[in-house]
Amino acid sequence: MVIRLSALGDVALMAPLVHDYAMSNPDIRFTIAGPPLLMALFSGMDNVEYLRIKKKQSFIKIYKILNSVGADTVIDLHKVNRVGFALTLLRLRNLFNFHFRLRALRKGKFSRWLYLHHLYHHPRKPQYQRYDDVFRRAGLKRVENEKRKTKKSASANSSTFTIGVAPFSQHKGKIWPWENIGRLVKILADSGYQVLLFGGKNEASQLETLASESVKSLAGKQSFAEELDIIKSLSLMVSMDSSNMHFASVLGVPVVSIWGATHPDFGFYPQQQSRDNALCANLSCQPCSAFGQKACRYGDYRCLTAITPEMVFNKIQSILNQNAHA
């Protein structure tokens, strides 16, 4: 059993590893305990089941759900108190079961000063590698899936490309200014690209203000499984440091990601993306937090305003042209 109850991006980050380990160990049954929304990311494998657990539940309730699985090996990729308490009860329940094993994620502590000091020489260990370490400590072997490659474009003609734009994130420190989003969408539409806008129901009305003949908002109109199918068909996704970056990456779609309060070298960059696709101003104040929740000390979020729509558009064209001629 593999446990990761939140956040959506962190759960998506482990999906390629789960698929690789399930494929490499066909005689082992894997149960993924995660948020109900993300069940579709783990479909298609005969030996993988998905156990939907809502985030806000008591540790007693979580324990009862986990105990019902009867797993002999538990991999905790979440490492938070409520899961820890539930696993303590599960451990006591299996006190005399000598085949029961529990392996947990080893979290690296965030030190902004140390991180900046070693930023280019010793980047923080990527989160997916930390996940992989736990699987290996559980005694599992993995053969990487060579079929999982980033999508290549068939043509360099802009009229054949559909670009996804996911402009929102959970924290303000990770959201590009709205006027920049509007300018980028207009540049893409004027250049002949088809544009699909992604967001939640509460963002639907704002995204609709950008809609036009070649720009369509999907916010609140599709189920998550349907949205994944649409993302899979994209030529490229433009995203913040958010779950949409990870969803597109899992599906093999190239992503131009925009980074503000966080940094792509802090460990949460997708394994499947080229580091060159991440746009980051690399200011002396970056990163100011591990997850982007802290308010800007200057009040102007200069890390985000330093990235212009023209910079993003040029990066999009560069990736698409490179893929088309690869």
Side-chain angles (χ1 to χ4, degrees):
M1 179 165 57
V2 183
I3 304 169
R4 179 79 210 200
L5 305 187
S6 66
L8 298 184
D10 290 313
V11 179
L13 198 61
M14 76 181 194
L17 283 175
V18 169
H19 281 268
D20 284 353
Y21 276 106
M23 179 188 67
S24 305
N25 301 273
D27 56 330
I28 295 177
R29 180 171 62 89
F30 290 80
T31 298
I32 312 304
L37 180 66
L38 299 189
M39 183 175 179
L41 285 180
F42 298 88
S43 61
M45 301 293 290
D46 292 337
N47 58 331
V48 176
E49 299 175 355
Y50 197 82
L51 185 63
R52 294 176 290 183
I53 301 181
K54 294 181 180 179
K55 179 181 177 181
K56 294 184 178 180
Q57 295 197 62
S58 69
F59 73 90
I60 296 292
K61 179 65 174 177
I62 294 174
Y63 157 72
K64 289 180 178 179
I65 297 173
L66 300 182
N67 186 53
S68 67
V69 176
D72 53 15
T73 299
V74 176
I75 294 176
D76 177 15
L77 298 183
H78 204 166
K79 199 70 180 296
V80 295
N81 288 339
R82 67 181 181 280
V83 174
F85 294 151
L87 290 177
T88 297
L89 294 178
L90 193 63
R91 215 170 197 170
L92 292 172
R93 175 71 174 78
N94 288 273
L95 190 60
F96 299 105
N97 177 4
F98 298 106
H99 297 288
F100 180 79
R101 292 179 297 177
L102 174 61
R103 299 291 183 267
L105 178 70
R106 292 171 179 168
K107 289 187 175 181
K109 297 296 182 181
F110 176 69
S111 170
R112 181 181 174 275
W113 184 88
L114 286 175
Y115 173 67
L116 289 174
H117 182 69
H118 296 287
L119 178 61
Y120 296 106
H121 302 289
H122 304 285
R124 188 177 186 269
K125 192 172 188 178
Q127 187 78 346
Y128 65 82
Q129 287 187 7
R130 293 177 184 273
Y131 288 166
D132 193 38
D133 289 344
V134 188
F135 280 98
R136 293 184 185 277
R137 284 193 282 113
L140 295 171
K141 295 182 179 180
R142 176 171 73 101
V143 177
E144 189 170 354
N145 186 358
E146 295 294 334
K147 294 182 179 180
R148 189 190 303 114
K149 296 182 181 294
T150 302
K151 182 192 300 183
K152 302 298 182 183
S153 306
S155 168
N157 184 351
S158 62
S159 64
T160 66
F161 291 130
T162 301
I163 310 297
V165 178
F168 299 105
S169 186
Q170 185 176 2
H171 302 294
K172 186 176 180 180
K174 299 197 293 185
I175 302 177
W176 209 28
W178 181 250
E179 56 269 24
N180 286 10
I181 292 292
R183 281 171 55 197
L184 175 65
V185 169
K186 186 176 187 307
I187 292 172
L188 290 170
D190 290 346
S191 301
Y193 294 100
Q194 296 295 311
V195 181
L196 298 180
L197 305 175
F198 293 83
K201 290 182 179 180
N202 57 337
E203 298 148 351
S205 59
Q206 189 174 1
L207 290 175
E208 282 294 342
T209 63
L210 301 179
S212 65
E213 184 176 349
S214 56
V215 180
K216 181 181 179 181
S217 171
L218 301 179
K221 299 178 181 179
Q222 314 286 334
S223 68
F224 180 68
E226 291 170 336
E227 194 168 285
L228 287 180
D229 285 338
I230 294 171
I231 291 175
K232 191 174 183 178
S233 70
L234 295 175
S235 305
L236 182 144
M237 171 73 87
V238 178
S239 174
M240 309 300 107
D241 171 18
S242 69
S243 57
N244 282 289
M245 172 180 66
H246 296 289
F247 298 154
S249 297
V250 169
L251 298 171
V253 177
V255 180
V256 173
S257 53
I258 299 170
W259 297 75
T262 56
H263 196 284
D265 289 341
F266 189 61
F268 297 101
Y269 195 66
Q271 178 182 6
Q272 302 87 346
Q273 294 297 323
S274 167
R275 176 60 178 80
D276 293 338
N277 295 1
L279 295 178
C280 182
N282 291 316
L283 302 181
S284 61
C285 55
Q286 284 179 280
C288 61
S289 68
F291 308 110
Q293 74 274 34
K294 293 184 179 179
C296 176
R297 70 180 69 180
Y298 304 109
D300 57 8
Y301 292 94
R302 58 191 63 182
C303 54
L304 288 163
T305 57
I307 300 172
T308 67
E310 289 73 22
M311 291 168 60
V312 178
F313 179 70
N314 289 339
K315 176 59 71 173
I316 292 170
Q317 288 193 304
S318 174
I319 294 170
L320 294 179
N321 286 330
Q322 181 180 357
N323 287 349
H325 295 100

